Amino acid sequence: MEWGAKRRRTGGNDGTAGGASSTHTSTEGQEVDNSSGYDYEVFLSFRGPDTRAGFTDFLYTSLKDASIHTFKDDEDLRDGVEFAPKLLQAIEQSKILIPIFSKDYASSVWCLKEVVQMVKCKKNGGKMIMPIFYDVAPSEVRYQTGNYKNSFLLHESKGRCDQKTIGEWKKALCQVGEINGWELPRDPTRRESKFVKEFTQKIFNELKKASLAVSDNLVSVDHHVEEIMEKIGAQTSETRIIGIHGMGGIGKTTLAKIIYNQLSKKFNNCCFLVNICEQAETNNGIISLQKKLILEVLKKKLTNIRDVDEGIQKIRKELSNEKVLVVLDDVDHKKHMDALVGNHNWFGKGSKLIITTRKKEVLKVPEVDDLYEVDIMDSEKSLQLFSKHAFRRDYPLDKDINQSMRAIKIAGGLPLALEVMGSFLSCIEREKWNSKLAKLESVPHADVRSKLKISYDVLEDEEKHIFLDIACLLIGYDKDIIVHFWKSKFHSENALDVLESMSLIKIKEDNKVWMHDQLRDLGRHIVQQINIKEKTRVWNAEEALELLKRQEKKKKLEALRLDLDHQHRFTYEDFKRLPNLRFLEVCSSKETFRAEERLFWHESPSSVLPINVVKEDSDLLQQLRWLAWHDIPPTFKITNFSMEDVVILDLSGSKITHDWKGWSHMKVMNNLKVMKLTNCIFLDRTPNFLAHSKLERLILQGCYN
């Protein structure tokens, strides 16, 4: 084999590196934190006088330059005769253990102690041991012959340890000597530099194979993985760029990790860049990501990238002949793609690139070959995922089924919500579940809320405004109707496109606007927090009625949904105290609507209304744009309302006729776009709409006459 080194094939190393692969900034200091997980990726064990100044230093430098966080065992960490705690920790908290067996390695008591510890960690912790045999034969280590035999005779003669300890040392050397390792025999023609370079690549690949961390509680991801694998052409030599999109918490990153873990074994050059959106916003964030991409693929640092354009040129130059697997996770803007993946020609033939994003529009570029949308889970799979987190089993027991079904209804098939709620409830006594679930029915769990709010926070102000209107009022309405609600149809259509692209809403096949329950509750929570004392939008009919009864002006109130009862008697002042109302929806009947006399007509409701009355009385709700009054009393004096800016009028279910007095007031509605008269069964013919030249939609469903 090349390198001037020979790879042994006599044994099998069944150790595997665990945990998520990552790269870290190397440090010269060897302090080990008492933290969980891996503090180091590689531990080097060697005898100083044999290799420290030469081979070991060369290898350590190469690993460090590849940003592989390496612990180099220097003698100054050895404290007295006891095994140094720092060394013990370093071995336990490293992923790959590399003993460099040299001719006098066994003469060091410390080196022998390290080998024993390595074997223990391999057995108990699944660590990988990758031995290098430098100027010694593997058999000399395995059977303790030659210099290794002499070293043990010396230990025994000087009484450095008892026979039990010597037996442990020999057994450990025998076990490690059986592992497939790398031989560097004494040879004047051997090329240590080439060996070190290729060995570093091997280490990098092994760390990469230590799969990205994925939950053990996954449910029903196989069909997603299969479809994405087909789109990316996993079995072909094509270069493909695939986009995975969906709302926050839907599982995009998890799917990308699974696919990365499966494909990475077929690639020498891999890179998974996480949280692109967040990292790009830091100082020189894009440049740092460009450097990291080159580093992880080529295993070499580039410190001289001065700007994004130079980074693009470096990527194109350095990676154009490399077959790579690259994942860009949580891309938020097309400029992120432009700076990191560009197009197919930037990478070698057979490369596979995966982009995850909440914004579908980011992926609508020629360079992206195909898209995959991750959708919500069905109720059966939701129950299974929730149960795994709440009960540590696939399905709940019969006694827990009702509360579990209530929980999955709240989660609405969103994996993040199911996981968070399941884990949250698992720590709570069953007797308290109902009260906790009641709260979660109106306000998402904080962990879910913070994840979903990321998408809201990046919206423009107008887009936020429209998102909140939909969350509070307009779910289930026809898109072509609601676009007129906001002052600019052009801007509102663009905003709806942005919201749909970011998976904050969906436009269903019937053109109705749909929003996930968790996003709806997020929006309503935001409205409640904007101004706790006075909300801008009130969607709960009971709360709205109580608010209307208060004897105070509601200057901030913009939207109100009322369901009238016979208890409250409306006054002129009730409406007068709503100067900035844009949206009013009223559900009432003749039996439930009570009001003071001045709000009614006292003559026949079909008599013609003088024009001067229209101008005299129309001083209520002057900002009104959407009026929906179902079953409006024919005698209600609608002339009290200022209708000049109303664009959507819905009088569904009302008992009005073609000569209703209110039609005269409609003549001032020069901006009316949509009129809905569904189920107005007493309407035998339509009024004269000639004055409404801007009317685009007239809905007469259920008007049989």
Side-chain angles (χ1 to χ4, degrees):
M1 193 174 264
E2 287 188 302
W3 312 332
K6 182 171 61 177
R7 178 76 196 273
R8 295 180 58 245
R9 303 291 181 186
T10 56
N13 183 358
D14 58 359
T16 57
S21 79
S22 58
T23 55
H24 306 274
T25 303
S26 299
T27 57
E28 291 294 332
Q30 304 297 336
E31 292 295 325
V32 182
D33 297 330
N34 293 322
S35 58
S36 60
Y38 295 107
D39 283 2
Y40 292 92
E41 293 175 305
V42 171
F43 179 92
L44 293 179
S45 173
F46 61 96
R47 183 176 181 271
D50 289 354
T51 63
R52 180 194 292 110
F55 176 77
T56 296
D57 186 63
F58 194 13
L59 176 59
Y60 174 74
T61 301
S62 178
L63 293 170
K64 187 175 76 168
D65 287 344
S67 283
I68 297 173
H69 202 194
T70 305
F71 188 100
K72 186 173 68 169
D73 167 23
D74 288 322
E75 274 83 358
D76 58 0
L77 291 178
R78 299 172 181 177
D79 183 17
V81 295
E82 294 299 323
F83 197 70
K86 293 176 182 177
L87 288 176
L88 177 63
Q89 274 187 296
I91 294 173
E92 290 178 343
Q93 296 180 353
S94 296
K95 299 177 184 179
I96 297 178
L97 311 172
I98 303 176
I100 303 173
F101 292 117
S102 54
K103 61 181 181 179
D104 289 326
Y105 183 92
S107 66
S108 167
V109 170
W110 286 104
C111 288
L112 294 171
K113 288 182 177 181
E114 289 170 5
V115 173
V116 171
Q117 189 63 29
M118 288 181 191
V119 170
K120 289 180 181 178
C121 288
K122 177 177 180 292
K123 179 180 179 181
N124 300 325
K127 302 298 175 65
M128 175 176 278
I129 300 177
M130 298 176 66
I132 296 174
F133 301 94
Y134 188 87
D135 288 349
V136 296
S139 60
E140 190 173 340
V141 176
R142 187 160 66 250
Y143 301 118
Q144 297 92 53
T145 61
N147 282 0
Y148 279 67
K149 179 180 179 180
N150 296 333
S151 293
F152 276 100
L153 291 173
L154 187 61
H155 292 319
E156 292 173 352
S157 66
K158 293 191 174 183
R160 292 174 177 167
C161 50
D162 55 31
Q163 288 300 312
K164 180 182 177 182
T165 302
I166 287 180
E168 290 176 351
W169 292 347
K170 288 183 177 182
K171 183 179 179 181
L173 288 174
C174 180
Q175 289 177 326
V176 177
E178 288 284 353
I179 294 173
N180 284 341
W182 285 262
E183 293 181 55
L184 271 171
R186 183 176 296 279
D187 184 343
T189 64
R190 73 184 179 192
R191 299 169 61 187
E192 291 187 7
S193 61
K194 186 173 184 180
F195 168 80
V196 166
K197 179 181 178 181
E198 298 195 16
F199 187 75
T200 299
Q201 172 72 60
K202 177 66 178 174
I203 295 295
F204 200 94
N205 290 345
E206 291 297 340
L207 290 170
K208 173 197 69 183
K209 289 177 184 177
S211 301
L212 297 172
V214 177
S215 170
D216 293 329
N217 295 320
L218 297 177
V219 171
S220 187
V221 297
D222 291 347
H223 69 287
H224 291 303
V225 173
E226 288 172 6
E227 289 189 45
I228 296 171
M229 285 292 199
E230 184 176 346
K231 289 177 180 292
I232 205 168
Q235 306 302 323
T236 72
S237 59
E238 287 184 77
T239 297
R240 301 277 289 172
I241 302 177
I242 300 299
I244 303 175
H245 65 97
M247 67 182 289
I250 201 71
K252 303 180 296 295
T253 300
T254 298
L255 284 174
K257 285 181 176 181
I258 294 170
I259 292 165
Y260 179 88
N261 288 342
Q262 291 188 13
L263 290 178
S264 62
K265 298 175 178 62
K266 301 177 182 179
F267 289 80
N268 287 327
N269 305 310
C270 303
C271 178
F272 194 113
L273 294 177
V274 300
N275 299 326
I276 300 289
C277 176
E278 182 179 337
Q279 293 193 57
E281 295 304 313
T282 60
N283 188 34
N284 291 324
I286 295 289
I287 296 174
S288 297
L289 288 165
Q290 290 174 324
K291 289 179 179 179
K292 188 172 184 181
L293 174 60
I294 295 172
L295 168 65
E296 293 203 12
V297 171
L298 298 180
K299 275 65 72 179
K300 68 178 184 181
K301 287 184 178 179
L302 288 179
T303 57
N304 58 339
I305 296 179
R306 291 167 293 186
D307 54 45
V308 172
D309 289 337
E310 185 175 351
I312 290 173
Q313 294 303 318
K314 292 282 188 183
I315 292 171
R316 296 177 65 177
K317 178 182 177 182
E318 299 286 347
L319 305 186
S320 60
N321 293 317
E322 301 290 340
K323 177 184 173 183
V324 303
L325 171 63
V326 175
V327 176
L328 304 185
D329 179 51
D330 196 19
V331 171
D332 184 57
H333 200 285
K334 187 177 181 295
K335 67 182 180 182
H336 302 158
M337 289 174 54
D338 293 340
L340 294 167
V341 298
N343 58 54
H344 298 68
N345 297 329
W346 286 24
F347 307 95
K349 183 179 179 182
S351 294
K352 310 295 181 186
L353 300 105
I354 301 169
I355 299 157
T356 75
T357 180
R358 302 170 184 227
K359 292 185 175 181
K360 184 179 179 180
E361 64 183 14
V362 171
L363 305 171
K364 292 181 178 179
V365 292
E367 293 79 13
V368 176
D369 296 299
D370 211 339
L371 306 181
Y372 185 81
E373 181 177 10
V374 187
D375 211 342
I376 58 175
M377 305 178 78
D378 62 32
S379 58
E380 182 180 354
K381 297 297 186 292
S382 295
L383 182 60
Q384 188 177 353
L385 181 59
F386 173 80
S387 299
K388 281 178 176 286
H389 289 273
F391 310 115
R392 304 297 184 263
R393 56 190 299 143
D394 283 344
Y395 293 98
L397 299 174
D398 289 345
K399 64 184 180 66
D400 298 317
I401 192 68
N402 289 334
Q403 289 175 314
S404 297
M405 295 303 294
R406 185 179 177 186
I408 68 169
K409 182 179 179 182
I410 294 169
L414 185 66
L416 172 67
L418 291 162
E419 293 172 15
V420 169
M421 288 172 57
S423 300
F424 168 65
L425 292 171
S426 70
C427 303
I428 296 173
E429 297 173 1
R430 294 290 192 279
E431 297 77 26
K432 298 180 180 179
W433 273 35
N434 284 333
S435 63
K436 298 298 182 183
L437 288 169
K439 181 178 179 181
L440 291 170
E441 281 174 332
S442 58
V443 181
H445 188 282
D447 291 345
V448 178
R449 198 166 65 237
S450 63
K451 181 78 171 179
L452 296 179
K453 195 171 181 291
I454 294 171
S455 296
Y456 172 82
D457 288 338
V458 301
L459 295 173
E460 301 292 337
D461 287 345
E462 184 175 7
E463 294 159 357
K464 289 180 178 178
H465 184 81
I466 290 175
F467 171 80
L468 296 178
D469 277 343
I470 294 172
C472 296
L473 307 162
L474 303 178
I475 296 172
Y477 283 86
D478 191 304
K479 175 190 173 184
D480 293 339
I481 291 178
I482 70 172
V483 291
H484 299 292
F485 179 44
W486 303 284
K487 289 192 175 180
S488 168
K489 180 182 177 183
F490 174 76
H491 290 143
S492 62
E493 285 180 335
N494 286 342
L496 290 173
D497 287 342
V498 170
L499 296 180
E500 185 177 20
S501 171
M502 294 180 66
S503 301
L504 291 171
I505 64 171
K506 279 188 179 180
I507 309 301
K508 308 296 271 187
E509 291 181 2
D510 58 2
N511 210 41
K512 300 291 178 62
V513 178
W514 177 87
M515 180 181 285
H516 192 280
D517 290 353
Q518 293 286 310
L519 287 168
R520 176 202 64 196
D521 294 343
L522 167 70
R524 294 179 176 184
H525 177 75
I526 291 171
V527 167
Q528 290 171 327
Q529 297 302 308
I530 289 175
N531 194 320
I532 298 176
K533 291 184 178 180
E534 188 177 347
K535 293 179 185 176
T536 57
R537 303 162 181 85
V538 178
W539 54 91
N540 180 277
E542 292 183 7
E543 183 181 348
L545 192 58
E546 290 302 314
L547 180 68
L548 201 63
K549 293 176 182 178
R550 296 180 195 166
Q551 304 296 310
E552 57 188 29
K553 185 169 283 191
K554 294 87 176 174
K555 291 184 178 180
K556 294 186 180 298
L557 189 63
E558 299 176 15
L560 195 65
R561 177 172 284 147
L562 284 167
D563 191 355
L564 303 184
D565 60 26
H566 63 279
Q567 299 294 326
H568 181 65
R569 181 173 180 271
F570 280 90
T571 68
Y572 188 88
E573 290 301 319
D574 286 339
F575 294 106
K576 189 72 173 176
R577 287 191 283 265
L578 307 172
N580 295 309
L581 203 70
R582 298 180 296 119
F583 176 99
L584 174 62
E585 181 179 293
V586 182
C587 292
S588 72
S589 67
K590 184 177 180 180
E591 291 73 24
T592 59
F593 182 69
R594 299 172 65 247
E596 66 172 328
E597 292 299 315
R598 66 185 295 192
L599 290 176
F600 289 105
W601 284 307
H602 301 291
E603 302 153 7
S604 168
S606 63
S607 59
V608 178
L609 183 71
I611 296 177
N612 63 337
V613 176
V614 174
K615 294 182 179 178
E616 178 184 341
D617 293 342
S618 303
D619 62 345
L620 297 180
L621 311 184
Q622 294 187 7
Q623 304 300 320
L624 196 64
R625 293 183 61 80
W626 184 315
L627 174 61
W629 195 314
H630 303 157
D631 197 9
I632 187 171
T635 56
F636 178 73
K637 195 175 182 181
I638 199 170
T639 55
N640 289 300
F641 290 170
S642 176
M643 305 291 281
E644 285 86 349
D645 292 327
V646 171
V647 290
I648 299 169
L649 178 65
D650 181 1
L651 301 176
S652 297
S654 299
K655 299 177 179 62
I656 55 178
T657 61
H658 75 279
D659 59 351
W660 174 51
K661 186 182 294 188
W663 295 129
S664 297
H665 191 45
M666 303 303 151
K667 293 177 181 178
V668 302
M669 298 175 64
N670 297 320
N671 295 305
L672 187 65
K673 299 288 186 181
V674 179
M675 182 179 287
K676 187 175 181 182
L677 301 172
T678 300
N679 293 324
C680 291
I681 58 176
F682 293 99
L683 193 65
D684 55 8
R685 65 178 184 268
T686 60
N688 184 356
F689 293 119
L690 292 178
H692 308 298
S693 59
K694 295 182 181 179
L695 187 67
E696 296 182 8
R697 192 160 181 176
L698 176 63
I699 303 170
L700 297 170
Q701 184 179 1
C703 299
Y704 301 110
N705 293 325

